[in-house]
Amino acid sequence: MLRPISVFRSAVVLIVITAFNVSDSYSQDRLKDNVGVVFKQIYDYRLLSADSSISVFETERPNHPVWSLLRANLVWWQILSGGIEDDKLKKKFIYYLNESKDKAKNFLEDEDEAAFSLIIVNAFRTRFDLLDNNYLTAATYLNACIDDISDSFGREEEYEPFYLTSGLYYYFMQKAHEDYPIMRPYLFFFPDGDKQKGIDFLLKCSSSDDIFLREESTYFLMRIAFDLDKDPKQALGYVGSLLTRYPDNIIFRLFEIKALHSLNQEKEINFSEKSYRASVSGNPELTVSQKEYFFKLLEDEKKAPK
């Protein structure tokens, strides 16, 4: 069963890169559109469809690093779907991250894009190693990730994705300083955090036209509200926004159930649980074992103390 990861540990962890500049505007727009299609399929929990789309789209620009990052992202969602003990999935995840990093070095010329690409790869690797209990390796990648994020400060207006990475950094760095005194000597060597500035940056991203920035910032705002601010009502607003766009996303629906559970809203819980079961049962792209895993997550949540 997937072991929970603290929000702080995953604070600077993102999922995958948003968009890259290419040589001409037509190619750039087409690339962004194709990437958007894949993201929507992933958020709709149509993982097999997303995999097929990547295979089709990457033929146009096979050496572009975004496709390897998207494949790593796809494998990550498979890991979250009950594959934490699957060594083949773990190896695929590392392979695609390394492949993306190699391609980025040979493809990306823009300084901001290159920096953001490295942040994504290092953040992804940090999250994976924390999940796999490889804490020393995770610390190495986390340090590299923080270095790249701090180097990007002040360039948010020039490159929108930096609002997401900077926002997460500012919020969680101050939060860590407040809640973990033992870490303060270590945090002394990094730029100061600012929770309100971090929230403002994330809110800005949550209204972005970019699908990845919008959904990931909304997701982190939900986690901050629920896990750290202990405000399930506010968290419910954020997850409701996500579910309006992706009603069949099982992970989002589970967080709605968690928030409703905390608020003792029994009528709404029953409706949400029915929607959850329908999304799991009615998804033709989930395996039997994945469906069993998600049903068990629901049963565990129902047994959890309020």
Side-chain angles (χ1 to χ4, degrees):
M1 179 178 176
L2 181 64
R3 293 182 293 274
I5 309 173
S6 70
V7 179
F8 171 69
R9 284 179 175 176
S10 61
V12 293
V13 177
L14 309 174
I15 307 298
V16 72
I17 200 162
T18 55
F20 295 89
N21 287 326
V22 289
S23 57
D24 59 84
S25 59
Y26 172 78
S27 296
Q28 180 180 350
D29 291 342
R30 183 174 178 83
L31 180 66
K32 291 179 69 173
D33 288 344
N34 290 345
V35 170
V37 168
V38 175
F39 270 126
K40 187 176 188 310
Q41 290 171 329
I42 290 175
Y43 288 130
D44 283 333
Y45 236 94
R46 293 300 190 261
L47 305 185
L48 295 180
S49 296
D51 185 58
S52 297
S53 293
I54 293 172
S55 296
V56 173
F57 294 149
E58 70 179 346
T59 59
E60 297 181 14
R61 304 189 70 87
N63 293 323
H64 201 290
V66 70
W67 305 118
S68 299
L69 274 172
L70 280 169
R71 288 196 182 280
N73 182 36
L74 193 57
V75 173
W76 178 253
W77 281 82
Q78 292 171 334
I79 290 173
L80 293 181
S81 302
I84 185 58
E85 304 299 336
D86 190 326
D87 289 336
K88 289 184 179 180
L89 281 180
K90 294 178 183 180
K91 290 179 181 178
K92 285 176 65 176
F93 181 79
I94 297 300
Y95 172 82
Y96 287 130
L97 279 187
N98 290 337
E99 183 180 63
S100 176
K101 191 172 185 177
D102 291 340
K103 288 181 178 180
K105 290 179 180 178
N106 296 321
F107 184 87
L108 298 180
E109 298 180 358
D110 182 89
E111 180 182 355
D112 290 336
E113 290 175 320
F116 190 69
S117 180
L118 287 175
I119 291 171
I120 295 300
V121 171
N122 288 326
F124 236 149
R125 184 60 192 267
T126 301
R127 189 175 199 175
F128 172 78
D129 285 317
L130 286 172
L131 184 65
D132 212 30
N133 294 325
N134 295 323
Y135 298 114
L136 291 178
T137 304
T140 300
Y141 285 101
L142 179 60
N143 283 336
C145 186
I146 291 176
D147 287 343
D148 288 330
I149 292 175
S150 58
D151 287 343
S152 72
F153 288 159
R155 287 150 54 191
E156 293 84 8
E157 281 292 331
E158 302 168 13
Y159 191 66
E160 187 185 22
F162 285 149
Y163 275 113
L164 179 59
T165 51
S166 296
L168 289 170
Y169 178 95
Y170 283 129
Y171 180 89
F172 285 101
M173 190 57 69
Q174 182 177 344
K175 184 66 176 176
H177 189 273
E178 292 174 352
D179 292 358
Y180 301 95
I182 195 172
M183 293 184 64
R184 289 175 185 171
Y186 171 76
L187 299 176
F188 176 80
F189 297 98
F190 297 103
D192 292 339
D194 184 330
K195 286 198 299 185
Q196 188 55 55
K197 187 174 185 177
I199 292 295
D200 290 344
F201 277 14
L202 292 176
L203 286 171
K204 185 178 182 68
C205 281
S206 69
S207 60
S208 173
D209 291 332
D210 186 289
I211 182 174
F212 172 75
L213 293 181
R214 182 179 64 243
E215 313 312 358
E216 291 303 311
S217 60
T218 303
Y219 171 81
F220 275 107
L221 286 166
M222 174 194 71
R223 294 298 302 267
I224 288 170
F226 186 81
D227 294 306
L228 300 178
D229 293 342
K230 307 302 180 184
D231 188 345
K233 186 175 182 180
Q234 186 178 54
L236 199 59
Y238 290 128
V239 75
S241 177
L242 291 168
L243 286 169
T244 297
R245 294 187 287 272
Y246 311 103
D248 287 321
N249 187 293
I250 303 165
I251 300 297
F252 297 161
R253 185 68 68 182
L254 184 63
F255 272 102
E256 180 185 56
I257 294 170
K258 289 177 180 289
L260 291 170
H261 190 190
S262 297
L263 294 168
N264 296 313
Q265 296 185 11
E266 294 299 327
K267 182 178 180 180
E268 289 79 3
I269 289 174
N270 291 334
F271 176 81
S272 188
E273 287 181 356
K274 288 180 181 178
S275 298
Y276 180 95
R277 291 191 182 93
S279 293
V280 175
S281 299
N283 190 328
E285 301 190 8
L286 292 177
T287 66
V288 172
S289 61
Q290 286 174 331
K291 290 183 179 183
E292 291 175 348
Y293 172 78
F294 282 121
F295 284 134
K296 187 177 187 305
L297 283 185
L298 178 60
E299 292 305 311
D300 290 344
E301 176 57 32
K302 291 171 66 175
K303 297 175 184 177
K306 296 181 180 180

